Amino acid sequence: MELCFAPLEGITTYTYRNTHAQVFGGCDVYYAPFITPSDNEKLSLKSLRDIVPEKNRVERLVPQVLTNRGDSFLKFEEKIRELGYDQVNINIGCPSGTVVKKNRGADFLRDPEGIEQFLDRVFEKSELKISVKTRTGFSSHEEFGRILEIYNKYQMESLIVHPRTRADFYNGEPNMELFCRAYKESSNRLCYNANVFSVEDFKKIEADFPNLSGVMIGRGAIANPAIFREIKGGKPLEVRELIEFTNLLAERYLEVLGSEVYTLHKLKEIWMYTMWTFPEEKKILKAIKKSNKLPDLLGAIKGLL
Ligand SMILES: Cc1cc2nc3c(=O)[nH]c(=O)nc-3n(C[C@H](O)[C@H](O)[C@H](O)COP(=O)(O)O)c2cc1C
């Protein structure tokens, strides 16, 4: 069973992924945040920046594409094959307003026939190994039966299921009953994704669904970047290494972004999740939120030592 780092747009950039692999490691494959292919050549080169091999030092990286058009997919495929990739993940689940407005991501789930036409084209023409990352509906889980029927037509590398609807966003409990149905009825190997925050959470999934192709962890890995190592029996997270990790990230983001303010924003966003690991440390959380300068944040987290 593969351990996968979920794509988190704005957070799991190449800078984050490289630093995570260097300091903590433990995960088998990183999924890159979505890239929306554009017809404008310059823009699309810019959008590929995150996955160019020169910048990526993790062993396995799977690019993710967000589109509902076969021709855009195929153009994207051509570009990433040139970069040396043999696998791609298709995002049919992003709930963000700007994405949904353009009938992409989770909004595509409202149009099962559209998904079918799109996947027909993709699977007919593509030479890549393809996985799909999906939610279980747009507004209701009732929609999933039809969607799963469509996914079952294709031979995928894996089907990654986040058992929430778009309406759920990231809130509440994932619908395990529906995931169980997918586990029984999917013709493709399944990867589970949602709310794995501890080794115990992982073990429960593994025990309930022993034939999964993988388990994908997102926010739980930002909260505790040692989670993959811990699942594999390695040592638990140490505050010292978390601080080292953050200092390294700060150094690298300062270089990449060329701005202390942007670097501070990046680290603040990460630490809003990391502080889930330290629920008692309310004063430190407050100090992180209030920090106006990078050294304020780096100083505040030392309070965890
Ligand atoms: C800030 C943020 C950004 C995300 N960006 C992406 C993305 O680019 N592509 C994607 O497929 N899912 C994205 N997701 C969804 C996650 O990959 C994952 O499916 C979701 O968080 C549930 O898993 P978790 O409970 O382990 O975090 C994002 C989620 C968050 C919170």
Side-chain angles (χ1 to χ4, degrees), residues 6-11 32-35 64 89 91-95 133 135 162 164 170 193-197 216-221 269 273:
L8 297 161
E9 211 255 324
I11 299 180
F34 67 79
I35 295 174
Q64 185 185 68
N89 178 257
N91 178 325
I92 311 190
C94 181
K133 182 165 178 281
R135 286 189 182 239
H162 175 195
R164 286 194 174 95
Y170 298 105
N193 169 231
N195 285 27
V196 175
F197 295 114
M216 176 177 269
I217 308 179
R219 293 164 303 167
E269 192 177 4
Y273 294 102

PDB file of all heavy atoms in Angstrom, residues 6-11 32-35 64 89 91-95 133 135 162 164 170 193-197 216-221 269 273, ligand 1:
ATOM      1  N   ALA A   6      -0.771  14.198  -0.483  1.00  0.00           N
ATOM      2  CA  ALA A   6      -1.821  14.831  -1.296  1.00  0.00           C
ATOM      3  C   ALA A   6      -1.335  16.162  -1.858  1.00  0.00           C
ATOM      4  O   ALA A   6      -0.487  16.827  -1.261  1.00  0.00           O
ATOM      5  CB  ALA A   6      -3.065  15.068  -0.432  1.00  0.00           C
ATOM      6  N   PRO A   7      -1.897  16.549  -2.982  1.00  0.00           N
ATOM      7  CA  PRO A   7      -1.575  17.887  -3.503  1.00  0.00           C
ATOM      8  C   PRO A   7      -2.314  18.954  -2.711  1.00  0.00           C
ATOM      9  O   PRO A   7      -3.522  18.817  -2.475  1.00  0.00           O
ATOM     10  CB  PRO A   7      -2.106  17.822  -4.946  1.00  0.00           C
ATOM     11  CG  PRO A   7      -3.175  16.777  -4.941  1.00  0.00           C
ATOM     12  CD  PRO A   7      -2.873  15.823  -3.827  1.00  0.00           C
ATOM     13  N   LEU A   8      -1.594  19.975  -2.294  1.00  0.00           N
ATOM     14  CA  LEU A   8      -2.251  21.093  -1.588  1.00  0.00           C
ATOM     15  C   LEU A   8      -1.764  22.376  -2.248  1.00  0.00           C
ATOM     16  O   LEU A   8      -0.618  22.805  -2.023  1.00  0.00           O
ATOM     17  CB  LEU A   8      -1.899  21.085  -0.097  1.00  0.00           C
ATOM     18  CG  LEU A   8      -2.362  19.845   0.692  1.00  0.00           C
ATOM     19  CD1 LEU A   8      -1.587  19.709   1.981  1.00  0.00           C
ATOM     20  CD2 LEU A   8      -3.844  19.893   0.989  1.00  0.00           C
ATOM     21  N   GLU A   9      -2.601  22.926  -3.061  1.00  0.00           N
ATOM     22  CA  GLU A   9      -2.245  24.091  -3.840  1.00  0.00           C
ATOM     23  C   GLU A   9      -1.768  25.227  -2.939  1.00  0.00           C
ATOM     24  O   GLU A   9      -2.417  25.531  -1.934  1.00  0.00           O
ATOM     25  CB  GLU A   9      -3.489  24.524  -4.631  1.00  0.00           C
ATOM     26  CG  GLU A   9      -3.192  25.177  -5.941  1.00  0.00           C
ATOM     27  CD  GLU A   9      -3.417  26.652  -5.867  1.00  0.00           C
ATOM     28  OE1 GLU A   9      -4.361  27.049  -5.168  1.00  0.00           O
ATOM     29  OE2 GLU A   9      -2.653  27.391  -6.501  1.00  0.00           O
ATOM     30  N   GLY A  10      -0.639  25.825  -3.300  1.00  0.00           N
ATOM     31  CA  GLY A  10      -0.100  26.925  -2.503  1.00  0.00           C
ATOM     32  C   GLY A  10       0.757  26.442  -1.341  1.00  0.00           C
ATOM     33  O   GLY A  10       1.527  27.211  -0.772  1.00  0.00           O
ATOM     34  N   ILE A  11       0.620  25.179  -0.962  1.00  0.00           N
ATOM     35  CA  ILE A  11       1.389  24.673   0.187  1.00  0.00           C
ATOM     36  C   ILE A  11       2.462  23.677  -0.262  1.00  0.00           C
ATOM     37  O   ILE A  11       3.646  23.870  -0.001  1.00  0.00           O
ATOM     38  CB  ILE A  11       0.450  24.017   1.228  1.00  0.00           C
ATOM     39  CG1 ILE A  11      -0.550  25.054   1.756  1.00  0.00           C
ATOM     40  CG2 ILE A  11       1.277  23.427   2.384  1.00  0.00           C
ATOM     41  CD1 ILE A  11      -1.527  24.523   2.774  1.00  0.00           C
ATOM     42  N   ALA A  32       1.648  16.540  -7.210  1.00  0.00           N
ATOM     43  CA  ALA A  32       1.811  17.995  -7.327  1.00  0.00           C
ATOM     44  C   ALA A  32       0.431  18.651  -7.401  1.00  0.00           C
ATOM     45  O   ALA A  32      -0.506  18.069  -7.946  1.00  0.00           O
ATOM     46  CB  ALA A  32       2.611  18.315  -8.578  1.00  0.00           C
ATOM     47  N   PRO A  33       0.304  19.869  -6.861  1.00  0.00           N
ATOM     48  CA  PRO A  33      -0.976  20.585  -6.954  1.00  0.00           C
ATOM     49  C   PRO A  33      -1.388  20.783  -8.417  1.00  0.00           C
ATOM     50  O   PRO A  33      -0.556  20.723  -9.320  1.00  0.00           O
ATOM     51  CB  PRO A  33      -0.679  21.925  -6.296  1.00  0.00           C
ATOM     52  CG  PRO A  33       0.492  21.672  -5.418  1.00  0.00           C
ATOM     53  CD  PRO A  33       1.300  20.617  -6.088  1.00  0.00           C
ATOM     54  N   PHE A  34      -2.671  21.032  -8.621  1.00  0.00           N
ATOM     55  CA  PHE A  34      -3.188  21.065  -9.989  1.00  0.00           C
ATOM     56  C   PHE A  34      -2.541  22.143 -10.849  1.00  0.00           C
ATOM     57  O   PHE A  34      -2.186  23.215 -10.385  1.00  0.00           O
ATOM     58  CB  PHE A  34      -4.716  21.219 -10.002  1.00  0.00           C
ATOM     59  CG  PHE A  34      -5.233  22.542  -9.498  1.00  0.00           C
ATOM     60  CD1 PHE A  34      -5.202  23.667 -10.302  1.00  0.00           C
ATOM     61  CD2 PHE A  34      -5.788  22.651  -8.226  1.00  0.00           C
ATOM     62  CE1 PHE A  34      -5.700  24.882  -9.856  1.00  0.00           C
ATOM     63  CE2 PHE A  34      -6.289  23.858  -7.764  1.00  0.00           C
ATOM     64  CZ  PHE A  34      -6.240  24.973  -8.575  1.00  0.00           C
ATOM     65  N   ILE A  35      -2.449  21.784 -12.113  1.00  0.00           N
ATOM     66  CA  ILE A  35      -2.030  22.742 -13.129  1.00  0.00           C
ATOM     67  C   ILE A  35      -3.185  22.817 -14.127  1.00  0.00           C
ATOM     68  O   ILE A  35      -3.703  21.791 -14.561  1.00  0.00           O
ATOM     69  CB  ILE A  35      -0.740  22.281 -13.838  1.00  0.00           C
ATOM     70  CG1 ILE A  35       0.422  22.248 -12.840  1.00  0.00           C
ATOM     71  CG2 ILE A  35      -0.416  23.190 -15.029  1.00  0.00           C
ATOM     72  CD1 ILE A  35       1.712  21.667 -13.391  1.00  0.00           C
ATOM     73  N   GLN A  64      -0.487  16.824 -11.596  1.00  0.00           N
ATOM     74  CA  GLN A  64      -1.961  16.778 -11.631  1.00  0.00           C
ATOM     75  C   GLN A  64      -2.493  17.825 -12.604  1.00  0.00           C
ATOM     76  O   GLN A  64      -2.006  18.953 -12.638  1.00  0.00           O
ATOM     77  CB  GLN A  64      -2.539  17.059 -10.242  1.00  0.00           C
ATOM     78  CG  GLN A  64      -4.055  16.906 -10.216  1.00  0.00           C
ATOM     79  CD  GLN A  64      -4.664  17.289  -8.880  1.00  0.00           C
ATOM     80  OE1 GLN A  64      -4.644  18.455  -8.500  1.00  0.00           O
ATOM     81  NE2 GLN A  64      -5.216  16.323  -8.174  1.00  0.00           N
ATOM     82  N   ASN A  89      -2.264  12.643 -12.960  1.00  0.00           N
ATOM     83  CA  ASN A  89      -3.472  12.536 -12.149  1.00  0.00           C
ATOM     84  C   ASN A  89      -4.466  13.601 -12.621  1.00  0.00           C
ATOM     85  O   ASN A  89      -4.079  14.742 -12.872  1.00  0.00           O
ATOM     86  CB  ASN A  89      -3.113  12.752 -10.669  1.00  0.00           C
ATOM     87  CG  ASN A  89      -4.331  12.705  -9.780  1.00  0.00           C
ATOM     88  OD1 ASN A  89      -4.833  13.734  -9.330  1.00  0.00           O
ATOM     89  ND2 ASN A  89      -4.845  11.518  -9.535  1.00  0.00           N
ATOM     90  N   ASN A  91      -7.746  15.858 -11.805  1.00  0.00           N
ATOM     91  CA  ASN A  91      -8.486  16.400 -10.667  1.00  0.00           C
ATOM     92  C   ASN A  91      -9.966  16.562 -11.025  1.00  0.00           C
ATOM     93  O   ASN A  91     -10.325  17.377 -11.869  1.00  0.00           O
ATOM     94  CB  ASN A  91      -7.861  17.761 -10.292  1.00  0.00           C
ATOM     95  CG  ASN A  91      -8.571  18.469  -9.158  1.00  0.00           C
ATOM     96  OD1 ASN A  91      -9.790  18.382  -9.020  1.00  0.00           O
ATOM     97  ND2 ASN A  91      -7.827  19.192  -8.352  1.00  0.00           N
ATOM     98  N   ILE A  92     -10.807  15.723 -10.390  1.00  0.00           N
ATOM     99  CA  ILE A  92     -12.267  15.908 -10.559  1.00  0.00           C
ATOM    100  C   ILE A  92     -12.849  16.077  -9.151  1.00  0.00           C
ATOM    101  O   ILE A  92     -13.637  15.265  -8.689  1.00  0.00           O
ATOM    102  CB  ILE A  92     -12.919  14.719 -11.328  1.00  0.00           C
ATOM    103  CG1 ILE A  92     -12.130  14.402 -12.615  1.00  0.00           C
ATOM    104  CG2 ILE A  92     -14.390  15.037 -11.645  1.00  0.00           C
ATOM    105  CD1 ILE A  92     -12.783  13.422 -13.580  1.00  0.00           C
ATOM    106  N   GLY A  93     -12.383  17.131  -8.481  1.00  0.00           N
ATOM    107  CA  GLY A  93     -12.848  17.273  -7.105  1.00  0.00           C
ATOM    108  C   GLY A  93     -12.626  18.632  -6.478  1.00  0.00           C
ATOM    109  O   GLY A  93     -13.182  18.927  -5.417  1.00  0.00           O
ATOM    110  N   CYS A  94     -11.809  19.478  -7.137  1.00  0.00           N
ATOM    111  CA  CYS A  94     -11.474  20.755  -6.500  1.00  0.00           C
ATOM    112  C   CYS A  94     -12.751  21.575  -6.252  1.00  0.00           C
ATOM    113  O   CYS A  94     -13.539  21.818  -7.175  1.00  0.00           O
ATOM    114  CB  CYS A  94     -10.513  21.544  -7.374  1.00  0.00           C
ATOM    115  SG  CYS A  94     -10.055  23.096  -6.618  1.00  0.00           S
ATOM    116  N   PRO A  95     -12.983  22.005  -4.994  1.00  0.00           N
ATOM    117  CA  PRO A  95     -14.238  22.688  -4.675  1.00  0.00           C
ATOM    118  C   PRO A  95     -14.167  24.211  -4.781  1.00  0.00           C
ATOM    119  O   PRO A  95     -15.167  24.887  -4.565  1.00  0.00           O
ATOM    120  CB  PRO A  95     -14.441  22.296  -3.204  1.00  0.00           C
ATOM    121  CG  PRO A  95     -13.044  22.210  -2.657  1.00  0.00           C
ATOM    122  CD  PRO A  95     -12.159  21.763  -3.793  1.00  0.00           C
ATOM    123  N   LYS A 133      -8.497  11.670  -9.324  1.00  0.00           N
ATOM    124  CA  LYS A 133      -8.775  12.009  -7.925  1.00  0.00           C
ATOM    125  C   LYS A 133     -10.154  12.655  -7.894  1.00  0.00           C
ATOM    126  O   LYS A 133     -10.368  13.684  -8.532  1.00  0.00           O
ATOM    127  CB  LYS A 133      -7.711  12.960  -7.387  1.00  0.00           C
ATOM    128  CG  LYS A 133      -7.883  13.342  -5.933  1.00  0.00           C
ATOM    129  CD  LYS A 133      -6.589  13.971  -5.407  1.00  0.00           C
ATOM    130  CE  LYS A 133      -6.702  14.420  -3.972  1.00  0.00           C
ATOM    131  NZ  LYS A 133      -7.398  15.700  -3.819  1.00  0.00           N
ATOM    132  N   ARG A 135     -14.098  13.508  -5.886  1.00  0.00           N
ATOM    133  CA  ARG A 135     -15.034  13.547  -4.752  1.00  0.00           C
ATOM    134  C   ARG A 135     -16.192  12.616  -5.094  1.00  0.00           C
ATOM    135  O   ARG A 135     -16.268  12.102  -6.215  1.00  0.00           O
ATOM    136  CB  ARG A 135     -15.545  14.968  -4.532  1.00  0.00           C
ATOM    137  CG  ARG A 135     -14.502  15.853  -3.900  1.00  0.00           C
ATOM    138  CD  ARG A 135     -15.060  17.181  -3.491  1.00  0.00           C
ATOM    139  NE  ARG A 135     -13.993  17.981  -2.935  1.00  0.00           N
ATOM    140  CZ  ARG A 135     -13.979  18.478  -1.698  1.00  0.00           C
ATOM    141  NH1 ARG A 135     -15.024  18.322  -0.912  1.00  0.00           N
ATOM    142  NH2 ARG A 135     -12.952  19.188  -1.254  1.00  0.00           N
ATOM    143  N   HIS A 162     -11.902  10.833  -2.423  1.00  0.00           N
ATOM    144  CA  HIS A 162     -12.082  11.695  -1.245  1.00  0.00           C
ATOM    145  C   HIS A 162     -13.589  11.705  -0.992  1.00  0.00           C
ATOM    146  O   HIS A 162     -14.327  12.389  -1.712  1.00  0.00           O
ATOM    147  CB  HIS A 162     -11.540  13.091  -1.576  1.00  0.00           C
ATOM    148  CG  HIS A 162     -11.759  14.108  -0.492  1.00  0.00           C
ATOM    149  ND1 HIS A 162     -11.623  15.457  -0.702  1.00  0.00           N
ATOM    150  CD2 HIS A 162     -12.089  13.978   0.814  1.00  0.00           C
ATOM    151  CE1 HIS A 162     -11.881  16.118   0.413  1.00  0.00           C
ATOM    152  NE2 HIS A 162     -12.168  15.252   1.347  1.00  0.00           N
ATOM    153  N   ARG A 164     -16.204  12.994   0.052  1.00  0.00           N
ATOM    154  CA  ARG A 164     -16.995  14.174   0.416  1.00  0.00           C
ATOM    155  C   ARG A 164     -17.582  14.737  -0.866  1.00  0.00           C
ATOM    156  O   ARG A 164     -17.026  14.528  -1.946  1.00  0.00           O
ATOM    157  CB  ARG A 164     -16.111  15.256   1.048  1.00  0.00           C
ATOM    158  CG  ARG A 164     -15.663  14.977   2.458  1.00  0.00           C
ATOM    159  CD  ARG A 164     -15.098  16.268   3.089  1.00  0.00           C
ATOM    160  NE  ARG A 164     -14.790  16.094   4.486  1.00  0.00           N
ATOM    161  CZ  ARG A 164     -13.576  15.787   4.945  1.00  0.00           C
ATOM    162  NH1 ARG A 164     -12.563  15.633   4.123  1.00  0.00           N
ATOM    163  NH2 ARG A 164     -13.372  15.646   6.231  1.00  0.00           N
ATOM    164  N   TYR A 170     -14.193  20.791   3.016  1.00  0.00           N
ATOM    165  CA  TYR A 170     -13.266  19.926   3.762  1.00  0.00           C
ATOM    166  C   TYR A 170     -13.832  19.638   5.152  1.00  0.00           C
ATOM    167  O   TYR A 170     -13.129  19.183   6.040  1.00  0.00           O
ATOM    168  CB  TYR A 170     -11.883  20.587   3.887  1.00  0.00           C
ATOM    169  CG  TYR A 170     -11.257  20.815   2.534  1.00  0.00           C
ATOM    170  CD1 TYR A 170     -11.200  22.076   1.976  1.00  0.00           C
ATOM    171  CD2 TYR A 170     -10.758  19.742   1.797  1.00  0.00           C
ATOM    172  CE1 TYR A 170     -10.658  22.283   0.711  1.00  0.00           C
ATOM    173  CE2 TYR A 170     -10.209  19.930   0.538  1.00  0.00           C
ATOM    174  CZ  TYR A 170     -10.167  21.204   0.006  1.00  0.00           C
ATOM    175  OH  TYR A 170      -9.640  21.394  -1.246  1.00  0.00           O
ATOM    176  N   ASN A 193      -8.536   8.790   0.538  1.00  0.00           N
ATOM    177  CA  ASN A 193      -8.074  10.122   0.943  1.00  0.00           C
ATOM    178  C   ASN A 193      -9.130  10.832   1.790  1.00  0.00           C
ATOM    179  O   ASN A 193     -10.265  10.962   1.344  1.00  0.00           O
ATOM    180  CB  ASN A 193      -7.758  10.961  -0.311  1.00  0.00           C
ATOM    181  CG  ASN A 193      -7.521  12.433  -0.017  1.00  0.00           C
ATOM    182  OD1 ASN A 193      -8.118  13.304  -0.646  1.00  0.00           O
ATOM    183  ND2 ASN A 193      -6.676  12.732   0.927  1.00  0.00           N
ATOM    184  N   ALA A 194      -8.765  11.221   2.978  1.00  0.00           N
ATOM    185  CA  ALA A 194      -9.535  12.124   3.862  1.00  0.00           C
ATOM    186  C   ALA A 194      -9.261  11.844   5.326  1.00  0.00           C
ATOM    187  O   ALA A 194      -9.316  10.693   5.774  1.00  0.00           O
ATOM    188  CB  ALA A 194     -11.052  12.010   3.669  1.00  0.00           C
ATOM    189  N   ASN A 195      -8.925  12.938   6.025  1.00  0.00           N
ATOM    190  CA  ASN A 195      -8.884  12.922   7.491  1.00  0.00           C
ATOM    191  C   ASN A 195      -7.973  11.868   8.123  1.00  0.00           C
ATOM    192  O   ASN A 195      -8.335  11.326   9.165  1.00  0.00           O
ATOM    193  CB  ASN A 195     -10.300  12.724   8.050  1.00  0.00           C
ATOM    194  CG  ASN A 195     -11.132  13.988   7.935  1.00  0.00           C
ATOM    195  OD1 ASN A 195     -10.887  14.803   7.051  1.00  0.00           O
ATOM    196  ND2 ASN A 195     -12.103  14.165   8.816  1.00  0.00           N
ATOM    197  N   VAL A 196      -6.862  11.569   7.506  1.00  0.00           N
ATOM    198  CA  VAL A 196      -5.891  10.712   8.205  1.00  0.00           C
ATOM    199  C   VAL A 196      -4.933  11.661   8.936  1.00  0.00           C
ATOM    200  O   VAL A 196      -4.141  12.360   8.317  1.00  0.00           O
ATOM    201  CB  VAL A 196      -5.134   9.777   7.231  1.00  0.00           C
ATOM    202  CG1 VAL A 196      -4.041   8.998   7.974  1.00  0.00           C
ATOM    203  CG2 VAL A 196      -6.107   8.825   6.563  1.00  0.00           C
ATOM    204  N   PHE A 197      -5.082  11.680  10.245  1.00  0.00           N
ATOM    205  CA  PHE A 197      -4.310  12.626  11.059  1.00  0.00           C
ATOM    206  C   PHE A 197      -3.329  11.939  12.008  1.00  0.00           C
ATOM    207  O   PHE A 197      -2.607  12.600  12.735  1.00  0.00           O
ATOM    208  CB  PHE A 197      -5.256  13.529  11.864  1.00  0.00           C
ATOM    209  CG  PHE A 197      -6.094  14.429  10.983  1.00  0.00           C
ATOM    210  CD1 PHE A 197      -7.469  14.289  10.914  1.00  0.00           C
ATOM    211  CD2 PHE A 197      -5.499  15.414  10.212  1.00  0.00           C
ATOM    212  CE1 PHE A 197      -8.236  15.108  10.093  1.00  0.00           C
ATOM    213  CE2 PHE A 197      -6.247  16.243   9.388  1.00  0.00           C
ATOM    214  CZ  PHE A 197      -7.626  16.087   9.331  1.00  0.00           C
ATOM    215  N   MET A 216      -3.778   8.403   0.795  1.00  0.00           N
ATOM    216  CA  MET A 216      -3.259   9.741   0.524  1.00  0.00           C
ATOM    217  C   MET A 216      -3.528  10.643   1.726  1.00  0.00           C
ATOM    218  O   MET A 216      -4.650  10.659   2.243  1.00  0.00           O
ATOM    219  CB  MET A 216      -3.945  10.279  -0.731  1.00  0.00           C
ATOM    220  CG  MET A 216      -3.573  11.693  -1.064  1.00  0.00           C
ATOM    221  SD  MET A 216      -4.352  12.227  -2.614  1.00  0.00           S
ATOM    222  CE  MET A 216      -3.092  11.787  -3.779  1.00  0.00           C
ATOM    223  N   ILE A 217      -2.497  11.348   2.142  1.00  0.00           N
ATOM    224  CA  ILE A 217      -2.642  12.219   3.329  1.00  0.00           C
ATOM    225  C   ILE A 217      -2.280  13.655   2.946  1.00  0.00           C
ATOM    226  O   ILE A 217      -1.240  13.895   2.335  1.00  0.00           O
ATOM    227  CB  ILE A 217      -1.726  11.725   4.476  1.00  0.00           C
ATOM    228  CG1 ILE A 217      -1.957  10.228   4.731  1.00  0.00           C
ATOM    229  CG2 ILE A 217      -1.966  12.547   5.746  1.00  0.00           C
ATOM    230  CD1 ILE A 217      -1.074   9.642   5.830  1.00  0.00           C
ATOM    231  N   GLY A 218      -3.146  14.587   3.302  1.00  0.00           N
ATOM    232  CA  GLY A 218      -2.909  15.995   3.003  1.00  0.00           C
ATOM    233  C   GLY A 218      -2.678  16.790   4.270  1.00  0.00           C
ATOM    234  O   GLY A 218      -1.553  16.898   4.774  1.00  0.00           O
ATOM    235  N   ARG A 219      -3.773  17.291   4.835  1.00  0.00           N
ATOM    236  CA  ARG A 219      -3.629  18.202   5.984  1.00  0.00           C
ATOM    237  C   ARG A 219      -2.937  17.532   7.161  1.00  0.00           C
ATOM    238  O   ARG A 219      -2.184  18.179   7.897  1.00  0.00           O
ATOM    239  CB  ARG A 219      -5.011  18.728   6.381  1.00  0.00           C
ATOM    240  CG  ARG A 219      -5.609  19.637   5.303  1.00  0.00           C
ATOM    241  CD  ARG A 219      -7.089  19.839   5.506  1.00  0.00           C
ATOM    242  NE  ARG A 219      -7.794  18.572   5.534  1.00  0.00           N
ATOM    243  CZ  ARG A 219      -9.037  18.401   5.930  1.00  0.00           C
ATOM    244  NH1 ARG A 219      -9.719  19.439   6.353  1.00  0.00           N
ATOM    245  NH2 ARG A 219      -9.603  17.208   5.920  1.00  0.00           N
ATOM    246  N   GLY A 220      -3.163  16.222   7.305  1.00  0.00           N
ATOM    247  CA  GLY A 220      -2.513  15.496   8.404  1.00  0.00           C
ATOM    248  C   GLY A 220      -0.997  15.502   8.285  1.00  0.00           C
ATOM    249  O   GLY A 220      -0.286  15.419   9.289  1.00  0.00           O
ATOM    250  N   ALA A 221      -0.512  15.608   7.047  1.00  0.00           N
ATOM    251  CA  ALA A 221       0.934  15.614   6.839  1.00  0.00           C
ATOM    252  C   ALA A 221       1.521  17.023   6.985  1.00  0.00           C
ATOM    253  O   ALA A 221       2.713  17.182   7.248  1.00  0.00           O
ATOM    254  CB  ALA A 221       1.277  15.041   5.471  1.00  0.00           C
ATOM    255  N   GLU A 269       0.600  29.968   6.692  1.00  0.00           N
ATOM    256  CA  GLU A 269      -0.419  29.038   6.201  1.00  0.00           C
ATOM    257  C   GLU A 269      -0.084  27.609   6.647  1.00  0.00           C
ATOM    258  O   GLU A 269      -0.945  26.874   7.138  1.00  0.00           O
ATOM    259  CB  GLU A 269      -0.500  29.112   4.670  1.00  0.00           C
ATOM    260  CG  GLU A 269      -1.731  28.392   4.140  1.00  0.00           C
ATOM    261  CD  GLU A 269      -1.891  28.489   2.628  1.00  0.00           C
ATOM    262  OE1 GLU A 269      -1.030  29.050   1.937  1.00  0.00           O
ATOM    263  OE2 GLU A 269      -2.920  27.950   2.144  1.00  0.00           O
ATOM    264  N   TYR A 273      -1.900  24.694  10.093  1.00  0.00           N
ATOM    265  CA  TYR A 273      -2.153  23.249  10.172  1.00  0.00           C
ATOM    266  C   TYR A 273      -1.235  22.600  11.210  1.00  0.00           C
ATOM    267  O   TYR A 273      -1.660  21.740  11.979  1.00  0.00           O
ATOM    268  CB  TYR A 273      -1.929  22.575   8.810  1.00  0.00           C
ATOM    269  CG  TYR A 273      -2.926  23.001   7.753  1.00  0.00           C
ATOM    270  CD1 TYR A 273      -2.590  23.921   6.766  1.00  0.00           C
ATOM    271  CD2 TYR A 273      -4.217  22.480   7.746  1.00  0.00           C
ATOM    272  CE1 TYR A 273      -3.507  24.309   5.798  1.00  0.00           C
ATOM    273  CE2 TYR A 273      -5.146  22.864   6.777  1.00  0.00           C
ATOM    274  CZ  TYR A 273      -4.783  23.783   5.817  1.00  0.00           C
ATOM    275  OH  TYR A 273      -5.698  24.168   4.861  1.00  0.00           O
TER     276      TYR A 273
HETATM  277  C1  LIG B   1      -5.275  24.351   0.930  1.00  0.00           C
HETATM  278  C2  LIG B   1      -5.662  23.126   0.139  1.00  0.00           C
HETATM  279  C3  LIG B   1      -5.252  23.015  -1.192  1.00  0.00           C
HETATM  280  C4  LIG B   1      -5.617  21.882  -1.949  1.00  0.00           C
HETATM  281  N1  LIG B   1      -5.174  21.764  -3.244  1.00  0.00           N
HETATM  282  C5  LIG B   1      -5.496  20.649  -3.961  1.00  0.00           C
HETATM  283  C6  LIG B   1      -5.000  20.450  -5.302  1.00  0.00           C
HETATM  284  O1  LIG B   1      -4.260  21.253  -5.865  1.00  0.00           O
HETATM  285  N2  LIG B   1      -5.401  19.318  -5.952  1.00  0.00           N
HETATM  286  C7  LIG B   1      -6.209  18.372  -5.370  1.00  0.00           C
HETATM  287  O2  LIG B   1      -6.526  17.354  -5.982  1.00  0.00           O
HETATM  288  N3  LIG B   1      -6.660  18.534  -4.108  1.00  0.00           N
HETATM  289  C8  LIG B   1      -6.308  19.621  -3.392  1.00  0.00           C
HETATM  290  N4  LIG B   1      -6.738  19.738  -2.099  1.00  0.00           N
HETATM  291  C9  LIG B   1      -7.458  18.606  -1.482  1.00  0.00           C
HETATM  292  C10 LIG B   1      -6.472  17.647  -0.810  1.00  0.00           C
HETATM  293  O3  LIG B   1      -5.567  17.099  -1.738  1.00  0.00           O
HETATM  294  C11 LIG B   1      -7.217  16.493  -0.100  1.00  0.00           C
HETATM  295  O4  LIG B   1      -8.005  15.831  -1.048  1.00  0.00           O
HETATM  296  C12 LIG B   1      -8.123  16.987   1.024  1.00  0.00           C
HETATM  297  O5  LIG B   1      -7.470  17.940   1.827  1.00  0.00           O
HETATM  298  C13 LIG B   1      -8.598  15.807   1.912  1.00  0.00           C
HETATM  299  O6  LIG B   1      -7.495  15.095   2.427  1.00  0.00           O
HETATM  300  P1  LIG B   1      -6.891  15.377   3.908  1.00  0.00           P
HETATM  301  O7  LIG B   1      -8.026  15.236   4.881  1.00  0.00           O
HETATM  302  O8  LIG B   1      -5.830  14.308   4.081  1.00  0.00           O
HETATM  303  O9  LIG B   1      -6.334  16.771   3.904  1.00  0.00           O
HETATM  304  C14 LIG B   1      -6.406  20.860  -1.355  1.00  0.00           C
HETATM  305  C15 LIG B   1      -6.820  20.991  -0.010  1.00  0.00           C
HETATM  306  C16 LIG B   1      -6.467  22.095   0.732  1.00  0.00           C
HETATM  307  C17 LIG B   1      -6.920  22.197   2.165  1.00  0.00           C
END
